[in-house]
Amino acid sequence: MHNILCEGRGLVKVHRSKRGGRPLEAVSQVDLRLYQGETLALVGESGCGKSTLARLLLGLLPPTEGQVLFDGQDLAALSPKALRTLRRQFQPVFQDAAGSLQPRQRVGALVAEPLRIHKLCPRGELPQRAARLLERVGLSPELLERYPHQLSGGQRQRVVLARALALGPRLLVCDEPVSALDVSVQAQMLNLLAQLQREQGLTYLFISHDLGVVRHSASRVAVMFLGRLCEIGPREALFRRPRHPYTRFLLDAIPKPDPRRRDALGQLSGEVPDPGNPPSGCRFRTRCPYAQALCAQAVPPLADLGDGQQAACHFPLQG
């Protein structure tokens, strides 16, 4: 396996209400490693903590507990100046391209902004650098003088990507980067990300709820439910033989050519747990058809099951 580029150890993030309500544990005891040059997909339903975990790894949120290490350096232990320098190596690409781009700035200024802020380029050379960045993501330099609203959705997302690449990062954290795009434009964007990875050795944390996109782009997959990781493993092994019941449920929920087909976990019983008051033990147990008494009594550890797969389940699926 490649070198570890980014690692979260025992990450916990608790959101506390200013009105004195019940604290919400959005991320709970997560250990996650990103290896140099891989694409790790983080999947799960809306509200499971994927984006919060991404922001912890980017240093945009401080963890309530735990550590984030990038290239072996603990982000919390760095001085503000050292952290600012290190931040160049990991950049976000968010879902809402329109919201990420200042509408009153032209494309050229938007793409060159990181170079200007970090003083990495003489002011007179910024337009040329911005033009080269646009070309790297497949856009014409003619777009430099346009405003974001004059671009298509796919073009805006490429501008966001060009800006993220400006500082020469090693890691891109892509939070639903193609979910707002048409299917054909999605494919173009995914192909571009793969090309950039091959050319520059980039590492991606790819957050998505679309398992079709994940199967096309990921090398490993981590599955999250209610703030915890429940399974992680190589893409093909996980799709072929999921070991956690929740992963099986997600895969069974992918639309099938035969709508009459119903798999064992296709329809879950029980109520969706309250994130502010999660069940004891395994957080999926109230909806799991295989739950037993132990599942309510003890939190299942993320255990090695062979083939590079790990699952947090007392009674992992066998096939």
Side-chain angles (χ1 to χ4, degrees):
M1 184 59 77
H2 299 290
N3 294 331
I4 298 170
L5 180 63
C6 182
E7 182 176 12
R9 296 179 180 173
L11 288 177
V12 175
K13 184 60 184 179
V14 178
H15 297 299
R16 304 186 186 279
S17 170
K18 295 180 180 178
R19 299 177 181 176
R22 189 194 304 269
L24 174 65
E25 193 177 51
V27 172
S28 177
Q29 294 298 331
V30 167
D31 294 311
L32 189 67
R33 289 178 171 180
L34 270 159
Y35 295 98
Q36 178 68 46
E38 77 166 338
T39 298
L40 175 64
L42 183 61
V43 304
E45 295 168 288
S46 296
C48 72
K50 302 188 300 295
S51 293
T52 300
L53 177 56
R55 282 163 170 76
L56 291 174
L57 294 173
L58 283 164
L60 298 177
L61 283 177
T64 306
E65 295 177 24
Q67 294 176 291
V68 176
L69 292 90
F70 187 88
D71 213 11
Q73 300 180 74
D74 184 348
L75 299 190
L78 296 175
S79 68
K81 182 178 180 181
L83 179 59
R84 179 184 171 94
T85 300
L86 191 64
R87 274 188 190 280
R88 299 175 195 168
Q89 299 190 44
F90 48 94
Q91 294 290 310
V93 178
F94 293 124
Q95 171 185 4
D96 181 13
S100 300
L101 300 173
Q102 166 57 253
R104 293 185 179 87
Q105 281 189 298
R106 297 180 192 270
V107 167
L110 289 165
V111 172
E113 186 176 35
L115 296 168
R116 180 180 56 77
I117 290 174
H118 288 269
K119 298 181 173 62
L120 297 177
C121 178
R123 185 172 293 272
E125 295 178 16
L126 288 174
Q128 293 93 325
R129 289 285 293 274
R132 288 202 297 271
L133 285 163
L134 285 189
E135 289 177 332
R136 190 184 298 176
V137 298
L139 292 178
S140 169
E142 294 176 0
L143 300 182
L144 287 171
E145 295 302 314
R146 294 196 188 176
Y147 291 95
H149 73 270
Q150 296 175 310
L151 306 179
S152 68
Q155 288 174 326
R156 281 196 294 267
Q157 194 61 283
R158 287 174 186 249
V159 169
V160 170
L161 180 57
R163 186 171 63 176
L165 293 172
L167 298 177
R170 298 165 65 193
L171 168 65
L172 290 183
V173 177
C174 304
D175 192 350
E176 300 276 9
V178 299
S179 62
L181 305 176
D182 293 339
V183 173
S184 61
V185 183
Q186 280 189 9
Q188 294 170 13
M189 190 72 180
L190 292 173
N191 290 336
L192 172 61
L193 288 169
Q195 177 187 340
L196 290 168
Q197 186 174 51
R198 288 191 302 270
E199 293 173 353
Q200 301 180 37
L202 290 168
T203 302
Y204 295 137
L205 177 62
F206 195 96
I207 299 168
S208 181
H209 66 277
D210 186 332
L211 288 169
V213 168
V214 166
R215 187 155 203 176
H216 177 83
S217 57
S219 43
R220 283 195 307 143
V221 181
V223 183
M224 200 167 184
F225 179 79
L226 219 62
R228 290 187 183 271
L229 287 183
C230 56
E231 184 164 0
I232 186 166
R235 175 194 61 198
E236 285 306 318
L238 187 139
F239 273 82
R240 184 178 65 251
R241 190 187 181 201
R243 307 302 300 275
H244 195 285
Y246 178 61
T247 307
R248 169 76 68 80
F249 161 68
L250 289 180
L251 295 175
D252 285 351
I254 299 174
K256 304 292 194 301
D258 182 357
R260 295 168 297 180
R261 178 183 169 196
R262 288 284 182 236
D263 292 299
L265 277 170
Q267 300 293 320
L268 289 179
S269 60
E271 294 294 320
V272 177
D274 177 5
N277 186 26
S280 63
C282 175
R283 295 187 173 189
F284 187 60
R285 67 172 176 81
T286 58
R287 308 202 75 197
C288 180
Y290 306 117
Q292 300 183 35
L294 176 62
C295 303
Q297 298 164 6
V299 176
L302 198 62
D304 289 325
L305 299 175
D307 294 329
Q309 285 179 271
Q310 295 176 296
C313 183
H314 293 301
F315 307 101
L317 302 176
Q318 296 304 312

